Amino acid sequence: MINIAILGFGVVGSGVAEVIKENSDSLSEKLCGQKLNVKYILDKRSFPDHELGDRVTMDYDMIVNDPEVVMVVETMGGSHPAYEFTKKALLAGKNVVTSNKEVVANFGTELLEIARENNVNYLFEASVGGGIPIIRPMWQCLAANKIESVTGILNGTTNFILTKMIEENMSFDEALKIAQSLGYAEANPAADVEGLDTCRKICILASLAFGKTVSPENVHCEGITNITLSDVEAAEKLGYSIKLLGKAQATDAGTYVITSPFLVGFDNPMAGVNDVYNAITVCGNAVGDVMFYGRGAGKLPTASAVVADIVDIARECKKAITWTLSDTNPVIDYKSAKVRFFVRTPDASAKDLFPGCVFCDTDEGYAFITDELPEAKLCEILANIPVLSKIRVL
């Protein structure tokens, strides 16, 4: 029997218990007849009507000091006390599996090193793509490649909102209310719509891809709160859809990492990724582009990824995932990177400032896409005309 403890019995934590129960026989076959057993559940609440209600404790030391518990599953969310609990478990020689992108993004380097020193695992497949396998494929299946870029729709809530705006001509506020009514968005949706959730996830992927710690505090982050129906309509006229992306790319100057809305051409498969679905494209120098697609969130999809990590550890498959702490910030100034921009302006003189660009008429003036140039230079040029909106182009 393989004893585990689940920290936090909310949506994901209860989903982990459900997957272990429902797939008990098939999991046992994968583990050579051994059974996964939820010995403890750490939560402030009691669950008297749940079949595992007798496993609930509020005493974390009981878990850490129990030699029968070989694995801790952290599904609490937030940085604290999840970070402290994770560190204590690793130092006690227990493996840890997590779905907590905030802890991985902010403390992953330290926790991975502690895991290495104590000869245990710290795995976090569910922290980025929910049910989409991405950490394991990047670390194992694409190991022969030098990763050149990672780009992804990493937040189902914002993708749902943008889909409603694009397909049903809804305003941002209208689409947000529907997302909240369906449970896709929290009452306070800031972490989603302001891009922070996506930023944490692309930092994890960038750290993994390029081998140096990428911290969210060093990454430029924009959300979708300023996207309007006028932007959506003008982008469509030019052959593009708007998506919130996390993007990390290796350049000669360093690593370009950003979270922001992007225009994505209709010929790009990512333009057709709608509703709460996520998609991540990884470009390797040998394999080229590969895309991972599926539900990026939800109780059972996320729990599926958590349990996959549990099974890997229970099989005694050592997963020495690591990246190093850089002495200097590996992320370049985003304004130094060359990009194309979609611009809307009421001023016809923009045609003189951007000769050769294709313009389309809009209700409020003109929309066009610039040539590739450093973002700082673009800002200088645009200082001479009124700008209704500007959005990066993938």
Side-chain angles (χ1 to χ4, degrees):
M1 183 174 291
I2 300 166
N3 291 304
I4 69 172
I6 299 175
L7 311 187
F9 208 58
V11 173
V12 178
S14 62
V16 170
E18 185 176 336
V19 170
I20 289 174
K21 177 189 175 184
E22 291 299 316
N23 297 340
S24 175
D25 291 341
S26 63
L27 289 171
S28 181
E29 289 177 6
K30 294 179 176 70
L31 297 172
C32 300
Q34 295 187 88
K35 291 280 189 180
L36 291 176
N37 177 52
V38 179
K39 187 171 184 181
Y40 297 103
I41 295 169
L42 184 77
D43 205 291
K44 292 181 179 179
R45 301 162 295 173
S46 61
F47 300 90
D49 297 327
H50 196 282
E51 62 182 318
L52 298 178
D54 60 336
R55 320 288 172 89
V56 177
T57 179
M58 289 188 283
D59 184 1
Y60 185 56
D61 286 338
M62 181 186 295
I63 295 170
V64 173
N65 295 328
D66 188 338
E68 292 186 349
V69 175
V70 298
M71 203 177 318
V72 170
V73 180
E74 189 273 295
T75 60
M76 302 176 70
S79 286
H80 307 285
Y83 158 71
E84 288 81 7
F85 286 170
T86 298
K87 184 175 179 179
K88 194 169 185 177
L90 293 171
L91 288 170
K94 299 185 187 299
N95 299 283
V96 177
V97 169
T98 186
S99 60
N100 191 331
K101 63 257 183 184
E102 187 171 335
V103 170
V104 178
N106 291 328
F107 304 104
T109 304
E110 176 190 358
L111 296 173
L112 285 166
E113 180 61 19
I114 292 172
R116 187 190 65 79
E117 291 174 351
N118 289 273
N119 197 35
V120 290
N121 291 278
Y122 180 53
L123 300 186
F124 42 87
E125 181 65 69
S127 67
V128 174
I132 304 172
I134 182 62
I135 303 294
R136 191 176 286 101
M138 282 182 64
W139 192 250
Q140 296 177 350
C141 307
L142 299 176
N145 287 259
K146 180 179 179 181
I147 302 299
E148 297 177 344
S149 67
V150 183
T151 305
I153 298 170
L154 301 172
N155 182 276
T157 299
T158 53
N159 203 45
F160 175 85
I161 291 170
L162 289 170
T163 299
K164 288 293 184 184
M165 294 176 70
I166 292 167
E167 295 187 349
E168 300 183 32
N169 292 319
M170 287 186 182
S171 69
F172 169 82
D173 289 337
E174 290 173 324
L176 173 58
K177 286 180 180 177
I178 291 178
Q180 289 172 319
S181 70
L182 294 173
Y184 297 149
E186 302 288 343
N188 179 0
D192 293 323
V193 300
E194 293 177 6
L196 184 57
D197 179 76
T198 295
C199 185
R200 290 169 179 152
K201 292 173 179 177
I202 195 60
C203 285
I204 294 170
L205 294 177
S207 299
L208 187 65
F210 305 124
K212 297 289 185 183
T213 303
V214 175
S215 173
E217 65 186 20
N218 295 323
V219 173
H220 180 70
C221 179
E222 297 175 20
I224 63 169
T225 54
N226 293 324
I227 300 297
T228 67
L229 277 175
S230 296
D231 294 326
V232 169
E233 292 166 357
E236 187 173 13
K237 284 185 178 181
L238 292 167
Y240 292 84
S241 182
I242 300 176
K243 300 291 182 183
L244 180 69
L245 301 180
K247 181 176 178 62
Q249 184 170 359
T251 73
D252 292 338
T255 306
Y256 172 64
V257 188
I258 195 167
T259 294
S260 81
F262 276 81
L263 262 67
V264 180
F266 289 154
D267 59 345
N268 187 318
M270 207 167 282
V273 177
N274 293 321
D275 295 318
V276 295
Y277 282 84
N278 286 189
I280 305 164
T281 298
V282 181
C283 181
N285 67 333
V287 74
D289 287 334
V290 291
M291 177 179 278
F292 302 85
Y293 167 84
R295 289 189 177 273
K299 179 178 183 176
L300 295 183
T302 304
S304 167
V306 172
V307 176
D309 279 345
I310 293 172
V311 170
D312 262 0
I313 294 173
R315 282 170 164 170
E316 298 185 350
C317 299
K318 180 67 179 175
K319 303 297 178 187
I321 294 174
T322 187
W323 57 72
T324 60
L325 180 64
S326 177
D327 293 333
T328 59
N329 175 22
V331 179
I332 63 172
D333 179 3
Y334 73 98
K335 287 190 176 180
S336 68
K338 290 185 176 181
V339 293
R340 293 187 300 152
F341 261 90
F342 160 85
V343 179
R344 286 197 306 113
T345 177
D347 194 337
S349 66
K351 295 181 179 180
D352 298 324
L353 295 172
F354 295 92
C357 293
V358 176
F359 281 71
C360 75
D361 294 335
T362 69
D363 292 341
E364 298 172 284
Y366 310 92
F368 64 98
I369 292 176
T370 71
D371 294 327
E372 194 175 72
L373 75 167
E375 189 166 331
K377 179 63 177 177
L378 174 68
C379 291
E380 289 179 16
I381 299 172
L382 293 179
N384 298 317
I385 61 172
V387 174
L388 299 173
S389 62
K390 61 185 180 73
I391 304 172
R392 294 169 186 86
V393 180
L394 187 65

